[in-house]
Amino acid sequence: MDNIALARLLDETASLLEIDGADVFRVRSYRRAAETVEQQTIQLATLLAPDADPKLLLAIPGIGKGMAANLRDLVDTGTMPLREELLTKYRATMLDLLRLPGMGPKTVALVWSALQVSNMDELEAAAKAGQLNELPRMGEKFTTKLLKGIEDYRKNSSRFRIDVAREFAERISALILAFPGIETVTPAGSLRRGRETVGDLDLLATGPACEPDVVAAAVQHVATLPLIDNLLARGQNKVTFTLRNNLQVDVRLLPRVSYGAAMQYFTGSKHHNVALRQRAIKRGLTLSEYALVRLEDNKIIASETEEAIYNALDLAYIPPELRENNGEIEAAAASFSGAATGGLPKLITLADIRGDVHMHTTETDGTASIREMAEAAIARGRKYIAITDHSKNLAMTNGMDDARALAHAARVRQVNAEMEGRIHIFTGVEVDILAEGELDLEDATLAQLDIVVASVHSRFDQPKEVITARIIRAIENPYVRILGHPTGRKLLKRDAYAVDVEAVCRRAAELGVAVEHNAAPARTDLSDANLRLAKSLGCRISMNTDAHATGEMDYMEDGIVQLRRAWLTADDVVNTAATAEEFLGRLRKRS
DNA sequence: GCCGTTTTCGGCCCGACTGTTTTCAGTCG
């Protein structure tokens, strides 16, 4: 059992404990253990081996004697006594219910004890039958909201967030690569195109072991991978299976000679491929997953690389992120023919990002100091950062009041001076947008800070127009320069776009307020469609990691994909400015 | 359940918002 699986079981146990009404601190310790286990770079199973020093495990913060025993049980038996005990009282499907808005552990426990409701279908039936209304504190509004939540959940839960899919892709790839003679495993499909969510995983493998005459042994290896939950199909060069979380995986083993054609074919999208095949036919060619072939003599024109295939169709190479048949083929044709206009955009790349202007430190809920964040940013090539710790309304983060915000800014200036020009550190704050759209710090305070990010953290179950008006009112404050995570943060838990993005972006563009695209996948705010919309409205985008730890700055690499899908160039993004001064110049001027 | 001590047990992020109340429990960040 690997760390990810261990962490998930610990986290599930924490949820079951919550439903059971256990001590909140006991629950917290299980959650904390799950987090730290997930972040370990070495596999804990190796620390639990008979010959391993038991002190190493206990040296991990958050792992004590009890948790170490739990981990040992999990590794040895796949489960642990506490988990089994809880599962005799409750049902594993009740964990799904916790993902619904308004459903917390108490409510899940209540519907179970009162109505024996333990899964989504039963809950929906009970809600529709009006049974919930008989329970305390559950009226009409609650039921309505719940049914909407169930609908949204069903709509989204068949797809997986890209970071989750990528993680599984990497784990499966590593297992496949263990077979001698398989040299390359590449994800294709919507994962390669950078879609925010992925329906199933397409993995392409190649190498000497994938040549037609010997591929059977490699297929056998893939079909018996340990993490397969359900083997769905097994063909000559293809294996399809599902994982325990129901993610479907297609693995294809292909000879080197047709790898480019296969990559092109399986990356899609479907619409892009249809258009490409039509283009091929017009040129007397036919495109398949094996090769681009001339019809008159069956001669293979291109097959080993994608670039050769695109070029043979008189197209410049099209980056996977653009392959949606949204005009990229026409643009690639223009580029290939050397036309002066209408070519493929020079898409933004990670190297274009020079600053990260939304981050937290130990002053509130971050895990690193100002200096540590600055050093980590330098290591990643950033030229400027902004320290934007939370304001007081976010009590759980130890948010700052006005006096603390100013004192913190003074420390930021001090550290900035000590950096001696290696990086510029802006002062700042992430203020919270209150119910009426006002901010939770004084204007006099904000006036003394370089970067004011205004974010909504409160609940999103009010009507869309209420939330939209609240955000617009907030960004009208003259000191706000960036609208932080504009659409709310949880992509799958609830309707991610309970905000009129068009109205917000329109006003932001008028005011010169930059709209943030949060680079962390789990916090994705602007879909590629919304990014395109924002660009079309003249909105300036600020892409930030909202890092709470130094390592989170690496999320920048994930975030860039969404920008590329939206055809954005370096010019569309404010924090591509080469210097701190130039960056400030791109932001709204204070009145 | 973990931690750090006072080595045996107390402390462990807390406040706003909502729906349902008519004073508050539950959820969320």
Side-chain angles (χ1 to χ4, degrees), chain A residues 120-122 124 149-158:
Chain A
M120 198 80 62
D121 290 341
E122 289 167 3
E124 184 178 30
I150 291 174
E151 189 188 323
D152 289 340
Y153 180 83
R154 292 229 170 92
K155 208 162 40 186
N156 288 323
S157 63
S158 59

Side-chain angles (χ1 to χ4, degrees), chain A residues 437-498:
Chain A
E438 72 273 34
L439 306 176
D440 68 333
L441 292 184
E442 301 292 331
D443 280 3
T445 304
L446 305 183
Q448 297 183 53
L449 303 172
D450 298 320
I451 307 294
V452 175
V453 180
S455 305
V456 175
H457 294 95
S458 53
R459 299 174 61 161
F460 267 88
D461 40 15
Q462 302 101 326
K464 195 171 191 168
E465 55 275 14
V466 172
I467 300 169
T468 304
R470 179 194 295 194
I471 293 175
I472 287 177
R473 166 125 188 257
I475 62 176
E476 285 171 346
N477 176 297
Y479 299 108
V480 171
R481 297 179 128 181
I482 296 175
L483 172 60
H485 36 82
T487 61
R489 294 167 69 132
K490 298 218 172 159
L491 185 64
L492 296 179
K493 176 129 184 170
R494 50 174 77 145
D495 188 351
Y497 304 118

